[in-house]
Amino acid sequence: NAGVMQNPRHLVRRRGQEARLRCSPMKGHSHVYWYRQLPEEGLKFMVYLQKENIIDESGMPKERFSAEFPKEGPSILRIQQVVRGDSAAYFCASSPYSIPNTGELFFGEGSRLTVL
Amino acid sequence: KQEVTQIPAALSVPEGENLVLNCSFTDSAIYNLQWFRQDPGKGLTSLLLIQSSQREQTSGRLNASLDKSSGRSTLYIAASQPGDSATYLCAVSNNNDMRFGAGTRLTVKP
């Protein structure tokens, strides 16, 4: 059973370009979470999705950021018109159950975005 | 709003020592608490998950305790080894997400 797979592992973009980060959850997991980690800071929650639905996006900036988790395929975190402040490590986690139902989070290796 | 604090921010110990990492949280109405390990440039590895109804969990040389009423958890590492060097993160859940502390950076010197 493969772990949470994220790609690309490293992504370089110039200001104004778009970044797309992909996350394939562990087999059997229908709950996906995205977190952002800035250098020397802790992880900050961005968005929680369950197949085809956004459950909680309270941690995601209102503009330029969007997330989806389609019925088929990986979850996508999309950042439009990137700025230098978007440079960070973006982590995806998956769980077979929701957190209130004893969901344990399993994390991927992260995607490290650098904006030039 | 849940706030998670980890003390100390950094810790350096000689190999073989037993050590304790601390985590405190402001809202005690949690579903669970999870301890993770993060190596530089890597993802998070789950170490222990404690449900709100539990007091502790053990795995090998690791023991995590939870005192919900006082908003505290500790991670005890016995007989530390250089391979234990990493950042240890504590995370608690109240709603749909987990809130993380800033971590304790542990260095175990041979």
Side-chain angles (χ1 to χ4, degrees):
Chain A
N1 189 7
V4 178
M5 305 300 292
Q6 289 188 249
N7 67 81
R9 293 291 311 279
H10 299 275
L11 182 63
V12 179
R13 285 287 179 267
R14 295 189 182 281
R15 281 180 297 171
Q17 292 184 318
E18 178 179 288
R20 280 187 183 233
L21 310 177
R22 288 175 288 278
C23 169
S24 295
M26 290 179 68
K27 187 176 180 180
H29 289 194
S30 60
H31 302 263
V32 166
Y33 305 78
W34 285 94
Y35 286 81
R36 176 165 63 177
Q37 186 176 40
L38 294 168
E40 304 303 319
E41 291 189 19
L43 276 79
K44 304 296 183 187
F45 167 77
M46 298 183 74
V47 62
Y48 162 45
L49 308 103
Q50 188 181 1
K51 275 295 184 183
E52 300 185 88
N53 293 305
I54 295 175
I55 307 300
D56 184 346
E57 56 183 349
S58 59
M60 197 155 67
K62 294 285 188 290
E63 299 185 357
R64 302 190 298 107
F65 286 74
S66 62
E68 63 178 15
F69 188 14
K71 185 177 180 181
E72 301 291 338
S75 175
I76 306 286
L77 180 67
R78 181 183 178 202
I79 311 173
Q80 295 177 291
Q81 300 174 339
V82 296
V83 301
R84 288 216 174 101
D86 296 333
S87 295
Y90 292 83
F91 288 95
C92 170
S94 74
S95 176
Y97 310 109
S98 65
I99 284 175
N101 291 304
T102 70
E104 180 178 1
L105 296 191
F106 296 87
F107 279 79
E109 291 287 298
S111 291
R112 283 155 182 81
L113 172 65
T114 301
V115 180
L116 301 177
Chain B
K1 180 185 172 186
Q2 180 71 276
E3 300 286 342
V4 183
T5 304
Q6 291 189 246
I7 295 173
L11 181 64
S12 181
V13 300
E15 182 177 5
E17 270 204 10
N18 302 324
L19 57 100
V20 175
L21 307 181
N22 297 291
C23 172
S24 61
F25 45 95
T26 54
D27 185 348
S28 62
I30 64 171
Y31 292 113
N32 55 47
L33 181 147
Q34 197 167 353
W35 282 93
F36 296 88
R37 167 189 173 135
Q38 185 176 29
D39 293 283
K42 299 289 188 180
L44 280 69
T45 300
S46 178
L47 297 174
L48 291 164
L49 172 72
I50 310 177
Q51 303 298 338
S52 62
S53 58
Q54 298 174 322
R55 294 295 298 250
E56 66 176 347
Q57 283 286 339
T58 298
S59 176
R61 294 181 294 108
L62 306 180
N63 175 275
S65 67
L66 172 63
D67 185 343
K68 258 184 54 174
S69 59
S70 66
R72 295 175 189 273
S73 175
T74 61
L75 179 67
Y76 175 83
I77 302 177
S80 58
Q81 303 170 357
D84 294 331
S85 298
T87 296
Y88 290 81
L89 298 165
C90 164
V92 299
S93 63
N94 294 89
N95 299 304
N96 290 317
D97 65 283
M98 300 202 85
R99 301 278 168 156
F100 283 80
T104 294
R105 187 177 302 172
L106 173 66
T107 303
V108 181
K109 297 173 289 187

